[in-house]
Amino acid sequence: MTTPSFGTLSFGIVGLAALVLVAIGPPGPRPVRTDPVAASPPPGVSAGGFTISSTSVDLPIDDGVYPDGPHADVINANCTSCHSASMALTQPRLSAEQWMAIVKKMRETYKAPVVETDVPAIAAYLTAMSGRLGRGSLDDASGHTSSQPAGKDVTG
Amino acid sequence: MDRFDTLLAHATSRRRLLGGIGIGSAAAFAGPGLAETLANLALPGGPSERPITNAFPGKGSMILQRIHPPLLETPIEVFDQDVFTPNDRFFVRWHWAEIPTSIDATTYRLTVRGHVARQLSISLEELLRLPRVEMAAVNQCSGNSRGLFEPRVPGAQWRHGAMGNAKWLGVRLRDLLDLAGIKPGAVTVRFGALDQPVVAGAPDFGKSLGIDHARDGDVMIAFGMNGEQLPLLNGFPIRLIVPGWYSTYWVKMLNDIEVLPGPDDEYWMAKAYKVPATPGANVAPGAKNYPAVPISRMVPRSWITSLSEDQTIAFEAAIPLGGIAMGGDAGVARVDVSADGGHTWYKSVLGPDQGKYSFRRWDARVPLPRRGRVALMSRCTSTSGVTQPMKPIWNPGGFMRANVETTHIIAA
């Protein structure tokens, strides 16, 4: 599988240049023509009355971290590049065994570059964070008292 | 919108995101400041609050499940407005974080290879020149409504909004396969895409269909969604459409089709997205060592969308009630409604038929048994005779929830 061509990048650069020019403003009191090159449509293909235009977007960057707690430094060092911290923080209350199974799956199946000696600390952080659900320290948690089986299937 | 406007819009929306997130007590989402709007998904045991975000390209207000890689849920009220989900409100789900953000339509190629007579490398322009089909079809995540499983299970904690319905415009997969010429002995067709894992060695995402399914004439490659090109986050420029099947098969940013002379034994078919081979994919919580099969066909579901959970209305002897339904891999035959916990059912009137794979609108009047808290229910029966069960299923993946759902209101 290949990565897409970077042809559309040029349009991004042209657009960016236009943005910078506008931000700087006109060089003097004289009015400046504003028919920016960026007004030309992005390249695309058309046939049969349908057009597919090249597309370039910016995705939001997540700079969120795991809240303070024992081993927060370990989980923040290991578990923020592949996915947002919110993925773990929106999980329901899970048992220590479930969290351990999840951390091991991330490392062994999904090849997260986590050294094995960090695994217990990450699982312990998640278990402690998760345990706060149902004690009123997170939003509307009412808590489960039933034992929960380890989720072994991949979720999607 | 031209490029300049697009850039400005991105700059603005980025600021809005960073200033707008911050989730009260759960602190699950980053960013300074107070949250502007939160959605409460009312998941049993919580956490239930999620920010509403407008920060994603091509998307309006969405429930933010995860920024990176994006998981965006459609608010339930969107489904009350039309049976077709607007592109800018259509749910978003990505497995891997390496998502191309710049795609050149003039150089994009779709490869057809493997157990074929002629390997193909097809441009988008060539694709546009093939015979076209358009079909309305529901795209629903395998784990839609996972957050309502009890006992709870790990995974993306969706309520009901990991689904959408669109008119898909494209070409038949069969036509492409015929152009390549399938060799005798072909068993499986595997679909690959541009998104990639962040770390080397992780299983690249790919899904497969049996050769007869791939050639059934319904499975298509779509470039159009509700009359427009696909939003990048919904798989621009082309994605697979597998009507009646869960969206794990609807591979986004499709760039590779491989015909195999045997089964696909790679991770995403052999290990992931498997469900118990039991009626309704149901097992007892904690069950182990049951036979499992890849998830496949969808089953009937329905939702009340005209009233929301815990909404207060003025008491009347009978109230109007409306919503949407889907038949799964078949059409919607009927939708019945109840206001007394499922003891008494009333028939609804179905809206226009947009095809058997589409959402279908339903509207009814239902007598209210009393003032106070009332449990409203809707129940779909498909044209193949399958009726939604009352009792929820359970499986460890949180897949295929399809029981009758309840909306509680207060009739004051």
Side-chain angles (χ1 to χ4, degrees), chain A residues 1-9 11-12 14-19 22 36 38-65 67 80-87 89-94 98 102 105 109-113 132-134 137-144 146-156, chain B residues 2-4 7-8 10 14 17 25-30 40 44-50 55-57 65-69 71 93 96-97 100-107 124-125 128-129 132 141 143 146 150-157 169 192-194 196 198-204 223-224 227-229 232-233 236-237 255 267-268 272-274 285-286 290 394 396-397 399:
Chain A
M1 289 181 216
T2 57
T3 48
S5 148
F6 291 100
T8 50
L9 276 182
F11 281 81
V14 169
L16 191 63
L19 185 68
V22 169
S40 61
V45 296
S46 292
F50 197 92
T51 299
I52 303 176
S53 302
S54 297
T55 293
S56 187
V57 302
D58 291 321
L59 295 180
I61 294 165
D62 190 2
D63 48 11
V65 296
T80 54
S81 62
C82 292
H83 63 79
S84 295
S86 70
M87 190 61 198
L89 298 170
T90 54
Q91 293 304 307
R93 187 176 190 176
L94 301 174
Q98 285 176 300
I102 290 168
K105 187 176 80 181
T109 304
Y110 295 147
K111 310 299 178 191
R132 282 155 52 199
L133 276 172
S137 51
L138 295 182
D139 64 21
D140 58 359
S142 60
H144 277 292
S146 59
S147 65
Q148 296 183 12
K152 68 181 172 67
D153 284 12
V154 168
T155 57
Chain B
D2 63 26
R3 295 292 315 163
F4 178 70
L7 280 167
L8 270 183
H10 291 325
R14 174 75 187 283
L17 177 80
S25 51
F29 295 87
N40 186 340
S48 293
E49 290 187 341
R50 306 284 189 274
F56 286 80
Q65 291 278 8
R66 185 176 71 190
I67 295 176
H68 177 75
L71 295 179
R93 191 267 185 270
W96 293 123
T101 54
S102 189
I103 291 183
D104 185 341
T106 64
T107 58
L124 292 179
E125 187 170 351
L128 288 174
R129 295 186 187 284
R132 284 190 195 163
C141 181
R146 178 184 291 119
E150 293 184 86
R152 296 283 299 275
V153 294
Q157 300 298 320
L169 178 67
L194 282 182
Q196 295 285 307
V198 174
V199 289
D204 190 13
F223 46 77
E228 300 171 346
Q229 66 182 30
L232 185 130
L233 287 174
F236 179 84
N255 75 334
Y267 175 78
W268 293 101
Y273 286 104
K274 295 186 85 172
Y290 50 80
W394 192 91
F399 296 133

Side-chain angles (χ1 to χ4, degrees), chain B residues 200-271:
Chain B
D204 190 13
F205 186 70
K207 296 295 289 190
S208 298
L209 300 175
I211 188 74
D212 291 341
H213 187 188
R215 296 192 72 258
D216 73 356
D218 272 355
V219 179
M220 57 187 282
I221 296 163
F223 46 77
M225 178 175 175
N226 293 324
E228 300 171 346
Q229 66 182 30
L230 306 178
L232 185 130
L233 287 174
N234 293 109
F236 179 84
I238 50 174
R239 78 178 300 172
L240 198 69
I241 305 300
V242 189
W245 283 44
Y246 286 98
S247 61
T248 182
Y249 294 96
W250 298 41
V251 174
K252 301 183 290 295
M253 286 189 187
L254 176 71
N255 75 334
D256 186 61
I257 298 174
E258 182 182 10
V259 179
L260 305 171
D264 178 0
D265 55 5
E266 291 194 357
Y267 175 78
W268 293 101
M269 285 303 294
K271 298 276 175 59

Side-chain angles (χ1 to χ4, degrees), chain B residues 10-295:
Chain B
H10 291 325
T12 310
S13 62
R14 174 75 187 283
R15 279 195 299 275
R16 211 161 46 228
L17 177 80
L18 295 180
I21 297 183
I23 182 167
S25 51
F29 295 87
L34 296 171
E36 288 167 359
T37 315
L38 291 176
N40 186 340
L41 302 183
L43 308 181
S48 293
E49 290 187 341
R50 306 284 189 274
I52 297 289
T53 179
N54 288 289
F56 286 80
K59 294 291 157 184
S61 291
M62 299 293 286
I63 297 166
L64 180 61
Q65 291 278 8
R66 185 176 71 190
I67 295 176
H68 177 75
L71 295 179
L72 306 176
E73 177 166 350
T74 302
I76 194 77
E77 63 267 21
V78 171
F79 301 113
D80 197 49
Q81 292 156 17
D82 196 338
V83 292
F84 292 108
T85 314
N87 292 1
D88 68 351
R89 310 300 295 278
F90 210 97
F91 88 102
V92 171
R93 191 267 185 270
W94 291 85
H95 294 86
W96 293 123
E98 290 296 322
I99 304 166
T101 54
S102 189
I103 291 183
D104 185 341
T106 64
T107 58
Y108 196 91
R109 289 290 185 281
L110 170 63
T111 301
V112 184
R113 64 190 173 97
H115 206 64
V116 294
R118 293 168 294 279
Q119 177 164 324
L120 305 177
S121 174
I122 300 162
S123 70
L124 292 179
E125 187 170 351
E126 288 166 327
L127 203 68
L128 288 174
R129 295 186 187 284
L130 290 173
R132 284 190 195 163
V133 285
E134 187 173 52
M135 183 187 292
V138 172
N139 176 13
Q140 180 184 213
C141 181
S142 309
N144 192 24
S145 318
R146 178 184 291 119
L148 298 173
F149 270 61
E150 293 184 86
R152 296 283 299 275
V153 294
Q157 300 298 320
W158 307 106
R159 196 170 165 86
H160 299 307
M163 62 175 186
N165 184 42
K167 281 181 189 160
W168 307 99
L169 178 67
V171 304
R172 288 185 191 89
L173 175 61
R174 183 176 63 199
D175 291 347
L176 269 193
L177 294 174
D178 287 352
L179 280 176
I182 293 173
K183 285 184 181 172
V187 173
T188 310
V189 184
R190 179 160 57 208
F191 305 91
L194 282 182
D195 52 317
Q196 295 285 307
V198 174
V199 289
D204 190 13
F205 186 70
K207 296 295 289 190
S208 298
L209 300 175
I211 188 74
D212 291 341
H213 187 188
R215 296 192 72 258
D216 73 356
D218 272 355
V219 179
M220 57 187 282
I221 296 163
F223 46 77
M225 178 175 175
N226 293 324
E228 300 171 346
Q229 66 182 30
L230 306 178
L232 185 130
L233 287 174
N234 293 109
F236 179 84
I238 50 174
R239 78 178 300 172
L240 198 69
I241 305 300
V242 189
W245 283 44
Y246 286 98
S247 61
T248 182
Y249 294 96
W250 298 41
V251 174
K252 301 183 290 295
M253 286 189 187
L254 176 71
N255 75 334
D256 186 61
I257 298 174
E258 182 182 10
V259 179
L260 305 171
D264 178 0
D265 55 5
E266 291 194 357
Y267 175 78
W268 293 101
M269 285 303 294
K271 298 276 175 59
Y273 286 104
K274 295 186 85 172
V275 295
T278 58
N282 185 35
V283 290
K288 286 181 166 50
N289 301 321
Y290 50 80
V293 292
I295 196 169

